[in-house]
Amino acid sequence: MNRALQTISTRLFTRPVLPSSLGILPNAGINFIPCAWIRQHKLTDQQMRLRYKKLHWHKFYNDKWVQRRGGGWDEKMTPENQSFMQEVVYETYTNKESPLKDGPWKHGEYTTNPETIRTGVLGLKLGTLPQWDKKGRKFHVTLVQIIDNHVVNYTPPEMINFRTLFTTRPLRRDLHGKVGMLVVGALSSDPRKFTRAYNGLFEQAGIPPKRKLTRFFVTPNSVIKPGTPLYATHFRCGDYVDVQARSIDFGFQGVMRRYGFRGGPSDEYGATKFHRKRGTVGSGRKHKILPGTRMPGLMGNKLVMMKGLKVWRINTKYNVLYLMGPAVPGPNHGYMRIQDSSLYERKQKLTKDNHPPFPTYYPQDGKILDEELFSDDIYHFDQPTLTLDDVQIAPLTTRRTTAKTAQKKK
Amino acid sequence: MMKIRCCLNPISRFQSTSSAVSRSRLTNDEIRQHRLRIYNNERQTQMERIRRVEKIEIDVEDPIQSTKLLMNKNLSTPYHCAKHLSSVLVDRSCLALIDDEIVWDMNRPLERDCKLKFLHFLEEKCEEQNRAYWRTCSFIIGYILETAFKSNYNVELCSFPPPQFQYGSFAYDAQLNIGDWKPTRDDLRCLSIQAYKLRDNDLRFERLDLTQSVAEEMFKYDRFKLAQIPYMLRLLSPSDNQTRLSVYRMGDYHVDITRGPLISSTKQIGRFEFSAIHNIDVPSYNETMQRIQALSIPNQLHLHYWTFDYLLERAKKKNNASIPTLTKPKTSDNKTDKIE
């Protein structure tokens, strides 16, 4: 449907408007595709769930924009011809100079007063591993690989119309007209798997076609020329990031799994036909079921954001970030958007002198990074082993020798 | 209007030994219609010579169906045999193989009892089919050149070189009479679209053997073809008393001289893209002509656009196949250098 028509129709019909008394959520960043609600508002859980329901369904890429997948049929070539065409595909994209006439774009300056928003990066969730801190405590990290990232396209702020891009209301209206849009792609692929229209998106930047695309809104000073690669060292060890990804799809689930209801007793207690049900559904005298009532349904497979994950470690050879926590949304081999954290506490610590590589990390000739970069707090196994002197142990309580017996009152 | 026409039409007259009829007043369309008329008349006279319908026995050997068919001599074609068997054979077969030796057109009447096999493009050994396909595509370039230009431009077709895959493209040599025209990408694309229209029309290729007098009557407005006819005449079978010229007609649209077998119908064309136009010097005719090159693959072979574009880059280079020459045939079985 025509995007303009869509926005008009949503305004005319039942779209609940945010009351102006609420103000703008302080934790909302421009790149926040709203999904997981934050407890700093006056609406109930149910009301919030109803409001943000449709926004969970945001897709990274919609085929209505440009038909993506093409090819894939058996071309019926001899094996020699097949291997030759494979070589041709590799050769066309190695050592390819940018076809653009002008030179590199000027790097902007990092400013804190008019807020600077850097690009994010598209990563691939690999799995989880345990890590230890310098006090010997174990925690889990998720490995995320920044796989073949390139900037594909830049749109300046004048060409962006927020009303067409955000069909729901944008959360940072004050940035409308002040942010440009960068398209970032991950995982270079064979052009024979896509349509001609999709391949054409990458021709101007001179990069091979990417399997995944996403967009990030950036301030004009952090603009990057299309065709530059993005690495894991775009972040520093010790930085905090926000991660957006689609959660694991559990399918149609009952109320116990989905919302953690307690259900009923087992058959041992004589319960008849009430073990995993919801129970009552009504609400007093109201002759209806309230909208937003929690019932069985599809669980998972929705956009989820996790904020404030610490980058503990970076592997520069394979471009892997080690992010805090095992619960990063999505299954293994799922794609995720990774950005600088929009949490107030974490943003306060960034100044003009202390900020991540701006606009992004550019490898310099002659300067080779170590393969593994560690944050200050992490313990890596090249270091001498931790001893008990380093670690403080709480004093032991006295051991009980006699049995606990009731004392007779005297 | 006539004045403007003369200004736009600077023809360099080729003073040949044979009497070339002046064509300054005839358009390409009219010349084409003349050829088709002569073809129709000749075909009708040849059909009338068949007094009695005789039967021949044909042994069809095919992995799908193997049968013996009773067909009409000098009337039934391998295409009719395929129609008796299955639509798969009708759609995909481009050539027929008689007695495991002779390559035969699908639309050419069968003359005697034989063993028949159908050839298509997805076999292991398909060199004959590929060559027939590129030969057909060169033939089609000739038709497009005659019909694609505006009526005030006169295109004179010369001939086309035999299909050779190492040159990366097939070509047609013609005198375009346009002067310094460098076709843009969009111009070439417009030419290619004409070929796709032919594919939709599903035109069959029919063969006719002409005597020298009929051939000269047919091509009396084409000076290059007239000059070639004496060199192209051959004895087609040992029992023949006269040398003949083989001529093919595409549907109801176009007639041209060519020796070798062509494919069954234009429906079997897949991608067809004109790649480039280069100038060539032809000393035999004392002229500078244009070589129009193109690239095509059959419908059965479904290539991704990226692979085809890679082959098209190669097809844009100048095709170094043999230039049209007027030489007497050397070998005993009358193989000429120019046209196949």
Side-chain angles (χ1 to χ4, degrees), chain B residues 95 97 103 119 125-133 135 261:
Chain B
L95 291 175
L97 199 66
V103 179
L119 304 174
K125 287 182 189 172
C126 49
E127 209 196 304
E128 283 298 321
Q129 294 97 299
N130 290 340
R131 295 183 74 210
Y133 182 72
R135 206 178 290 127

Side-chain angles (χ1 to χ4, degrees), chain A residues 335-348:
Chain A
Y335 285 90
M336 50 183 61
R337 291 156 54 90
I338 304 155
Q339 302 148 46
D340 297 328
S341 192
S342 58
L343 296 171
Y344 184 68
E345 272 181 27
R346 306 298 176 203
K347 276 204 283 195
Q348 266 193 322

Side-chain angles (χ1 to χ4, degrees), chain A residues 198-219:
Chain A
Y198 187 79
N199 285 335
L201 297 172
F202 306 93
E203 265 170 37
Q204 229 192 358
I207 49 178
K210 302 286 183 184
R211 228 193 267 179
K212 283 283 178 188
L213 288 178
T214 186
R215 59 161 78 115
F216 293 104
F217 291 98
V218 296
T219 47

Side-chain angles (χ1 to χ4, degrees), chain A residues 73 75 85 191-192 194 199, chain B residues 302 304-307 309-310:
Chain A
W73 58 77
E75 285 184 314
M85 283 315 295
R192 296 174 292 172
F194 306 114
N199 285 335
Chain B
H302 209 186
H304 195 265
Y305 87 86
W306 204 86
T307 332
D309 281 358
Y310 180 74

